[in-house]
Amino acid sequence: MSKLGRAGRRKQRKLNVRDERPGTCLIITEGTETEVNYFENMKKIINNRYRNREIQENYPIKVEGKGRSTSVLVNEAIKRKNRENFSKVWVVFDKDDNSDFDKAIKLAKENNIEVAWSNESFELWLLLHFQDLKVGIKREQYLSNLNNHFKNNNINNGEYNKNIENIFDIMLDKVDIAIVRSEKLRKYYEQRNENYASNMNPGTTVDILVKELMNYIR
């Protein structure tokens, strides 16, 4: 029961993020496995937290893996934003060998689309849960390093693969350090006046999206 103030008026309980309904959010990913599993896992946790708050029937977070990259993915997101009623639309894609990486990020920003990019790949974000990374490495080494960390931490029977459905859940205890490491990488490039994400290797903004969703999980 809320308390009464000195004037006899009932005090309003201070609201926090967990008291509010999550905004409608569409997350469109380039990948159809790891990224989808990661954000679907987050969505399920949030859904469970808010299951008694009348949002079950029309759940406000939607995750879709498109198998498309960079500008093609951004253009798809722009169409969806204009056609459907989402308060925020995110695209999640990797640098890979895409020559239009910077162009796609710029196009997204011009159309109020949020971007969670990774240079080189989404696995960089996962790797930052376990170690600092200050120099670019090949994609194959991401997988090798993740396998070693999974083995050393006894995660998923010591093996990393792209179809782990609870990938977020099993790494949740390390998400805060991954966010800090991601922010430190961007700060490093900022201090060197680097404006092009294609030159930020290693670098990622996946932590920004994760941090936003974490507001409804903690």
Side-chain angles (χ1 to χ4, degrees):
M1 181 179 295
S2 59
K3 297 179 180 179
L4 296 179
R6 290 182 180 177
R9 296 175 183 172
R10 194 167 299 280
K11 289 184 178 180
Q12 293 296 318
R13 184 168 60 91
K14 186 177 180 181
L15 293 176
N16 58 35
V17 175
R18 288 281 301 279
D19 293 314
E20 299 172 0
R21 173 177 171 151
T24 54
C25 176
L26 173 64
I27 302 171
I28 303 179
T29 72
E30 171 187 8
T32 57
E33 293 179 296
T34 309
E35 296 95 321
V36 172
N37 288 336
Y38 190 92
F39 292 111
E40 278 287 355
N41 192 177
M42 292 193 81
K43 170 185 168 178
K44 286 177 183 177
I45 295 171
I46 297 170
N47 187 43
N48 185 55
R49 294 286 175 111
Y50 287 83
R51 67 183 180 277
N52 296 322
R53 304 192 186 188
E54 300 179 354
I55 63 171
Q56 283 286 341
E57 292 183 7
N58 184 23
Y59 193 74
I61 299 176
K62 196 171 195 178
V63 182
E64 297 181 7
K66 291 295 183 178
R68 302 168 189 162
S69 60
T70 50
S71 295
V72 176
L73 194 70
V74 172
N75 280 313
E76 168 74 12
I78 293 170
K79 290 177 183 176
R80 295 290 299 278
K81 191 177 193 307
N82 292 335
R83 193 169 64 228
E84 301 173 47
N85 188 29
F86 291 101
S87 56
K88 268 194 178 181
V89 176
W90 282 84
V91 287
V92 183
F93 59 79
D94 300 341
K95 167 65 173 67
D96 291 330
D97 296 320
N98 295 307
S99 59
D100 63 341
F101 187 61
D102 295 320
K103 179 182 176 183
I105 294 172
K106 183 173 182 289
L107 177 64
K109 290 179 178 178
E110 289 172 347
N111 288 274
N112 296 317
I113 303 293
E114 307 289 341
V115 186
W117 56 261
S118 296
N119 188 357
E120 286 277 329
S121 75
F122 187 80
E123 275 72 21
L124 167 63
W125 163 246
L126 302 182
L127 191 56
L128 290 173
H129 287 64
F130 302 98
Q131 68 176 83
D132 279 304
L133 196 64
K134 297 179 180 178
V135 296
I137 59 177
K138 294 181 185 281
R139 293 172 61 89
E140 296 78 13
Q141 198 169 342
Y142 286 139
L143 303 180
S144 175
N145 286 10
L146 281 169
N147 264 318
N148 289 334
H149 288 302
F150 272 45
K151 189 177 297 182
N152 293 336
N153 289 273
N154 194 27
I155 298 173
N156 196 49
N157 296 318
E159 182 182 4
Y160 169 74
N161 58 66
K162 288 180 171 292
N163 59 2
I164 304 172
E165 290 188 0
N166 64 332
I167 183 65
F168 168 76
D169 219 5
I170 62 179
M171 299 172 69
L172 175 57
D173 63 326
K174 297 176 176 61
V175 72
D176 286 332
I177 187 61
I179 290 172
V180 170
R181 286 169 174 158
S182 299
E183 290 173 342
K184 281 172 63 178
L185 281 173
R186 288 199 302 279
K187 188 69 175 177
Y188 170 82
Y189 296 117
E190 181 184 326
Q191 290 171 344
R192 282 152 184 76
N193 296 315
E194 180 54 69
N195 297 313
Y196 294 100
S198 59
N199 294 329
M200 301 178 190
N201 184 11
T204 184
T205 58
V206 171
D207 61 293
I208 299 174
L209 170 54
V210 171
K211 193 173 181 179
E212 185 172 298
L213 295 178
M214 284 295 293
N215 285 325
Y216 301 102
I217 290 177
R218 295 189 193 279

PDB file of all heavy atoms in Angstrom, residues 179-194 200 202-204 207:
ATOM      1  N   ILE A 179      29.828  -5.687 -22.174  1.00  0.00           N
ATOM      2  CA  ILE A 179      29.390  -4.316 -22.458  1.00  0.00           C
ATOM      3  C   ILE A 179      30.526  -3.336 -22.215  1.00  0.00           C
ATOM      4  O   ILE A 179      30.795  -2.460 -23.043  1.00  0.00           O
ATOM      5  CB  ILE A 179      28.157  -3.957 -21.595  1.00  0.00           C
ATOM      6  CG1 ILE A 179      26.928  -4.744 -22.068  1.00  0.00           C
ATOM      7  CG2 ILE A 179      27.873  -2.456 -21.642  1.00  0.00           C
ATOM      8  CD1 ILE A 179      25.707  -4.619 -21.164  1.00  0.00           C
ATOM      9  N   VAL A 180      31.214  -3.485 -21.097  1.00  0.00           N
ATOM     10  CA  VAL A 180      32.343  -2.597 -20.768  1.00  0.00           C
ATOM     11  C   VAL A 180      33.433  -2.703 -21.830  1.00  0.00           C
ATOM     12  O   VAL A 180      33.981  -1.687 -22.285  1.00  0.00           O
ATOM     13  CB  VAL A 180      32.925  -2.943 -19.378  1.00  0.00           C
ATOM     14  CG1 VAL A 180      34.243  -2.207 -19.145  1.00  0.00           C
ATOM     15  CG2 VAL A 180      31.926  -2.593 -18.282  1.00  0.00           C
ATOM     16  N   ARG A 181      33.753  -3.905 -22.255  1.00  0.00           N
ATOM     17  CA  ARG A 181      34.810  -4.099 -23.256  1.00  0.00           C
ATOM     18  C   ARG A 181      34.417  -3.506 -24.606  1.00  0.00           C
ATOM     19  O   ARG A 181      35.254  -2.936 -25.303  1.00  0.00           O
ATOM     20  CB  ARG A 181      35.122  -5.595 -23.389  1.00  0.00           C
ATOM     21  CG  ARG A 181      35.918  -6.138 -22.207  1.00  0.00           C
ATOM     22  CD  ARG A 181      35.979  -7.655 -22.215  1.00  0.00           C
ATOM     23  NE  ARG A 181      36.853  -8.149 -21.160  1.00  0.00           N
ATOM     24  CZ  ARG A 181      36.787  -9.367 -20.646  1.00  0.00           C
ATOM     25  NH1 ARG A 181      35.855 -10.235 -21.091  1.00  0.00           N
ATOM     26  NH2 ARG A 181      37.634  -9.739 -19.694  1.00  0.00           N
ATOM     27  N   SER A 182      33.141  -3.634 -24.961  1.00  0.00           N
ATOM     28  CA  SER A 182      32.652  -3.050 -26.216  1.00  0.00           C
ATOM     29  C   SER A 182      32.751  -1.528 -26.180  1.00  0.00           C
ATOM     30  O   SER A 182      33.167  -0.891 -27.154  1.00  0.00           O
ATOM     31  CB  SER A 182      31.204  -3.464 -26.468  1.00  0.00           C
ATOM     32  OG  SER A 182      31.082  -4.852 -26.577  1.00  0.00           O
ATOM     33  N   GLU A 183      32.358  -0.949 -25.060  1.00  0.00           N
ATOM     34  CA  GLU A 183      32.401   0.507 -24.913  1.00  0.00           C
ATOM     35  C   GLU A 183      33.846   1.013 -24.965  1.00  0.00           C
ATOM     36  O   GLU A 183      34.124   2.073 -25.546  1.00  0.00           O
ATOM     37  CB  GLU A 183      31.745   0.911 -23.593  1.00  0.00           C
ATOM     38  CG  GLU A 183      30.236   0.701 -23.588  1.00  0.00           C
ATOM     39  CD  GLU A 183      29.600   0.933 -22.218  1.00  0.00           C
ATOM     40  OE1 GLU A 183      30.329   0.926 -21.198  1.00  0.00           O
ATOM     41  OE2 GLU A 183      28.369   1.126 -22.174  1.00  0.00           O
ATOM     42  N   LYS A 184      34.763   0.266 -24.365  1.00  0.00           N
ATOM     43  CA  LYS A 184      36.176   0.649 -24.377  1.00  0.00           C
ATOM     44  C   LYS A 184      36.740   0.644 -25.790  1.00  0.00           C
ATOM     45  O   LYS A 184      37.534   1.519 -26.154  1.00  0.00           O
ATOM     46  CB  LYS A 184      36.989  -0.309 -23.496  1.00  0.00           C
ATOM     47  CG  LYS A 184      36.883  -0.013 -22.006  1.00  0.00           C
ATOM     48  CD  LYS A 184      37.547  -1.085 -21.177  1.00  0.00           C
ATOM     49  CE  LYS A 184      39.033  -1.171 -21.454  1.00  0.00           C
ATOM     50  NZ  LYS A 184      39.684  -2.193 -20.586  1.00  0.00           N
ATOM     51  N   LEU A 185      36.316  -0.324 -26.601  1.00  0.00           N
ATOM     52  CA  LEU A 185      36.767  -0.376 -27.992  1.00  0.00           C
ATOM     53  C   LEU A 185      36.300   0.858 -28.762  1.00  0.00           C
ATOM     54  O   LEU A 185      37.078   1.487 -29.487  1.00  0.00           O
ATOM     55  CB  LEU A 185      36.243  -1.638 -28.680  1.00  0.00           C
ATOM     56  CG  LEU A 185      36.979  -2.942 -28.389  1.00  0.00           C
ATOM     57  CD1 LEU A 185      36.232  -4.125 -29.005  1.00  0.00           C
ATOM     58  CD2 LEU A 185      38.409  -2.887 -28.933  1.00  0.00           C
ATOM     59  N   ARG A 186      35.022   1.232 -28.595  1.00  0.00           N
ATOM     60  CA  ARG A 186      34.511   2.408 -29.303  1.00  0.00           C
ATOM     61  C   ARG A 186      35.197   3.683 -28.816  1.00  0.00           C
ATOM     62  O   ARG A 186      35.442   4.596 -29.599  1.00  0.00           O
ATOM     63  CB  ARG A 186      32.991   2.510 -29.150  1.00  0.00           C
ATOM     64  CG  ARG A 186      32.236   1.456 -29.947  1.00  0.00           C
ATOM     65  CD  ARG A 186      30.776   1.844 -30.146  1.00  0.00           C
ATOM     66  NE  ARG A 186      30.086   2.047 -28.876  1.00  0.00           N
ATOM     67  CZ  ARG A 186      29.596   1.065 -28.135  1.00  0.00           C
ATOM     68  NH1 ARG A 186      29.728  -0.187 -28.517  1.00  0.00           N
ATOM     69  NH2 ARG A 186      28.963   1.329 -27.004  1.00  0.00           N
ATOM     70  N   LYS A 187      35.474   3.753 -27.529  1.00  0.00           N
ATOM     71  CA  LYS A 187      36.178   4.906 -26.969  1.00  0.00           C
ATOM     72  C   LYS A 187      37.566   5.034 -27.584  1.00  0.00           C
ATOM     73  O   LYS A 187      38.033   6.136 -27.892  1.00  0.00           O
ATOM     74  CB  LYS A 187      36.290   4.755 -25.452  1.00  0.00           C
ATOM     75  CG  LYS A 187      36.834   5.984 -24.738  1.00  0.00           C
ATOM     76  CD  LYS A 187      35.857   7.137 -24.790  1.00  0.00           C
ATOM     77  CE  LYS A 187      36.343   8.307 -23.974  1.00  0.00           C
ATOM     78  NZ  LYS A 187      35.432   9.470 -24.079  1.00  0.00           N
ATOM     79  N   TYR A 188      38.217   3.915 -27.785  1.00  0.00           N
ATOM     80  CA  TYR A 188      39.554   3.881 -28.399  1.00  0.00           C
ATOM     81  C   TYR A 188      39.510   4.513 -29.796  1.00  0.00           C
ATOM     82  O   TYR A 188      40.346   5.351 -30.143  1.00  0.00           O
ATOM     83  CB  TYR A 188      40.043   2.437 -28.482  1.00  0.00           C
ATOM     84  CG  TYR A 188      41.283   2.240 -29.303  1.00  0.00           C
ATOM     85  CD1 TYR A 188      42.546   2.474 -28.770  1.00  0.00           C
ATOM     86  CD2 TYR A 188      41.192   1.809 -30.632  1.00  0.00           C
ATOM     87  CE1 TYR A 188      43.702   2.293 -29.534  1.00  0.00           C
ATOM     88  CE2 TYR A 188      42.333   1.630 -31.407  1.00  0.00           C
ATOM     89  CZ  TYR A 188      43.575   1.870 -30.849  1.00  0.00           C
ATOM     90  OH  TYR A 188      44.713   1.695 -31.611  1.00  0.00           O
ATOM     91  N   TYR A 189      38.518   4.122 -30.605  1.00  0.00           N
ATOM     92  CA  TYR A 189      38.408   4.669 -31.966  1.00  0.00           C
ATOM     93  C   TYR A 189      37.982   6.140 -31.939  1.00  0.00           C
ATOM     94  O   TYR A 189      38.426   6.940 -32.771  1.00  0.00           O
ATOM     95  CB  TYR A 189      37.412   3.846 -32.781  1.00  0.00           C
ATOM     96  CG  TYR A 189      37.861   2.423 -33.000  1.00  0.00           C
ATOM     97  CD1 TYR A 189      37.123   1.356 -32.492  1.00  0.00           C
ATOM     98  CD2 TYR A 189      39.036   2.132 -33.691  1.00  0.00           C
ATOM     99  CE1 TYR A 189      37.541   0.045 -32.674  1.00  0.00           C
ATOM    100  CE2 TYR A 189      39.465   0.823 -33.878  1.00  0.00           C
ATOM    101  CZ  TYR A 189      38.710  -0.210 -33.364  1.00  0.00           C
ATOM    102  OH  TYR A 189      39.131  -1.513 -33.537  1.00  0.00           O
ATOM    103  N   GLU A 190      37.131   6.476 -30.987  1.00  0.00           N
ATOM    104  CA  GLU A 190      36.675   7.861 -30.846  1.00  0.00           C
ATOM    105  C   GLU A 190      37.858   8.790 -30.553  1.00  0.00           C
ATOM    106  O   GLU A 190      37.959   9.886 -31.111  1.00  0.00           O
ATOM    107  CB  GLU A 190      35.654   7.952 -29.727  1.00  0.00           C
ATOM    108  CG  GLU A 190      35.088   9.335 -29.489  1.00  0.00           C
ATOM    109  CD  GLU A 190      34.139   9.393 -28.310  1.00  0.00           C
ATOM    110  OE1 GLU A 190      33.420   8.394 -28.074  1.00  0.00           O
ATOM    111  OE2 GLU A 190      34.121  10.427 -27.616  1.00  0.00           O
ATOM    112  N   GLN A 191      38.761   8.348 -29.700  1.00  0.00           N
ATOM    113  CA  GLN A 191      39.937   9.148 -29.350  1.00  0.00           C
ATOM    114  C   GLN A 191      40.877   9.335 -30.537  1.00  0.00           C
ATOM    115  O   GLN A 191      41.667  10.274 -30.555  1.00  0.00           O
ATOM    116  CB  GLN A 191      40.682   8.493 -28.189  1.00  0.00           C
ATOM    117  CG  GLN A 191      39.924   8.567 -26.867  1.00  0.00           C
ATOM    118  CD  GLN A 191      40.560   7.744 -25.770  1.00  0.00           C
ATOM    119  OE1 GLN A 191      41.406   6.883 -26.022  1.00  0.00           O
ATOM    120  NE2 GLN A 191      40.159   8.003 -24.526  1.00  0.00           N
ATOM    121  N   ARG A 192      40.757   8.458 -31.510  1.00  0.00           N
ATOM    122  CA  ARG A 192      41.584   8.556 -32.707  1.00  0.00           C
ATOM    123  C   ARG A 192      40.814   9.140 -33.876  1.00  0.00           C
ATOM    124  O   ARG A 192      41.246   9.069 -35.025  1.00  0.00           O
ATOM    125  CB  ARG A 192      42.138   7.169 -33.056  1.00  0.00           C
ATOM    126  CG  ARG A 192      43.317   6.813 -32.161  1.00  0.00           C
ATOM    127  CD  ARG A 192      43.471   5.316 -31.962  1.00  0.00           C
ATOM    128  NE  ARG A 192      44.574   5.064 -31.020  1.00  0.00           N
ATOM    129  CZ  ARG A 192      44.475   5.240 -29.704  1.00  0.00           C
ATOM    130  NH1 ARG A 192      43.343   5.672 -29.171  1.00  0.00           N
ATOM    131  NH2 ARG A 192      45.518   4.991 -28.919  1.00  0.00           N
ATOM    132  N   ASN A 193      39.637   9.707 -33.577  1.00  0.00           N
ATOM    133  CA  ASN A 193      38.788  10.363 -34.577  1.00  0.00           C
ATOM    134  C   ASN A 193      38.445   9.459 -35.753  1.00  0.00           C
ATOM    135  O   ASN A 193      38.359   9.916 -36.899  1.00  0.00           O
ATOM    136  CB  ASN A 193      39.475  11.644 -35.093  1.00  0.00           C
ATOM    137  CG  ASN A 193      39.654  12.678 -34.004  1.00  0.00           C
ATOM    138  OD1 ASN A 193      38.733  12.927 -33.233  1.00  0.00           O
ATOM    139  ND2 ASN A 193      40.836  13.264 -33.918  1.00  0.00           N
ATOM    140  N   GLU A 194      38.279   8.187 -35.478  1.00  0.00           N
ATOM    141  CA  GLU A 194      37.880   7.236 -36.515  1.00  0.00           C
ATOM    142  C   GLU A 194      36.357   7.219 -36.622  1.00  0.00           C
ATOM    143  O   GLU A 194      35.650   6.921 -35.668  1.00  0.00           O
ATOM    144  CB  GLU A 194      38.395   5.831 -36.181  1.00  0.00           C
ATOM    145  CG  GLU A 194      38.024   4.767 -37.198  1.00  0.00           C
ATOM    146  CD  GLU A 194      38.454   5.139 -38.604  1.00  0.00           C
ATOM    147  OE1 GLU A 194      39.686   5.160 -38.854  1.00  0.00           O
ATOM    148  OE2 GLU A 194      37.564   5.436 -39.433  1.00  0.00           O
ATOM    149  N   MET A 200      36.977  -0.017 -37.828  1.00  0.00           N
ATOM    150  CA  MET A 200      36.983  -0.345 -36.398  1.00  0.00           C
ATOM    151  C   MET A 200      36.978  -1.858 -36.210  1.00  0.00           C
ATOM    152  O   MET A 200      35.955  -2.485 -35.951  1.00  0.00           O
ATOM    153  CB  MET A 200      35.763   0.280 -35.709  1.00  0.00           C
ATOM    154  CG  MET A 200      35.692   1.783 -35.832  1.00  0.00           C
ATOM    155  SD  MET A 200      34.196   2.447 -35.034  1.00  0.00           S
ATOM    156  CE  MET A 200      34.232   4.154 -35.613  1.00  0.00           C
ATOM    157  N   PRO A 202      38.925  -4.737 -34.079  1.00  0.00           N
ATOM    158  CA  PRO A 202      37.585  -5.205 -33.726  1.00  0.00           C
ATOM    159  C   PRO A 202      36.694  -4.089 -33.199  1.00  0.00           C
ATOM    160  O   PRO A 202      37.173  -3.137 -32.597  1.00  0.00           O
ATOM    161  CB  PRO A 202      37.866  -6.219 -32.608  1.00  0.00           C
ATOM    162  CG  PRO A 202      39.091  -5.662 -31.938  1.00  0.00           C
ATOM    163  CD  PRO A 202      39.915  -5.049 -33.032  1.00  0.00           C
ATOM    164  N   GLY A 203      35.403  -4.201 -33.450  1.00  0.00           N
ATOM    165  CA  GLY A 203      34.455  -3.220 -32.941  1.00  0.00           C
ATOM    166  C   GLY A 203      33.028  -3.715 -33.094  1.00  0.00           C
ATOM    167  O   GLY A 203      32.728  -4.524 -33.981  1.00  0.00           O
ATOM    168  N   THR A 204      32.133  -3.225 -32.243  1.00  0.00           N
ATOM    169  CA  THR A 204      30.731  -3.640 -32.295  1.00  0.00           C
ATOM    170  C   THR A 204      29.844  -2.642 -31.560  1.00  0.00           C
ATOM    171  O   THR A 204      30.317  -1.927 -30.673  1.00  0.00           O
ATOM    172  CB  THR A 204      30.534  -5.040 -31.680  1.00  0.00           C
ATOM    173  OG1 THR A 204      29.172  -5.446 -31.826  1.00  0.00           O
ATOM    174  CG2 THR A 204      30.909  -5.064 -30.209  1.00  0.00           C
ATOM    175  N   ASP A 207      26.341  -4.270 -28.096  1.00  0.00           N
ATOM    176  CA  ASP A 207      26.150  -4.015 -26.662  1.00  0.00           C
ATOM    177  C   ASP A 207      25.084  -2.955 -26.389  1.00  0.00           C
ATOM    178  O   ASP A 207      24.421  -2.990 -25.357  1.00  0.00           O
ATOM    179  CB  ASP A 207      27.475  -3.593 -26.021  1.00  0.00           C
ATOM    180  CG  ASP A 207      28.032  -2.316 -26.624  1.00  0.00           C
ATOM    181  OD1 ASP A 207      28.428  -2.324 -27.805  1.00  0.00           O
ATOM    182  OD2 ASP A 207      28.082  -1.290 -25.923  1.00  0.00           O
TER     183      ASP A 207
END
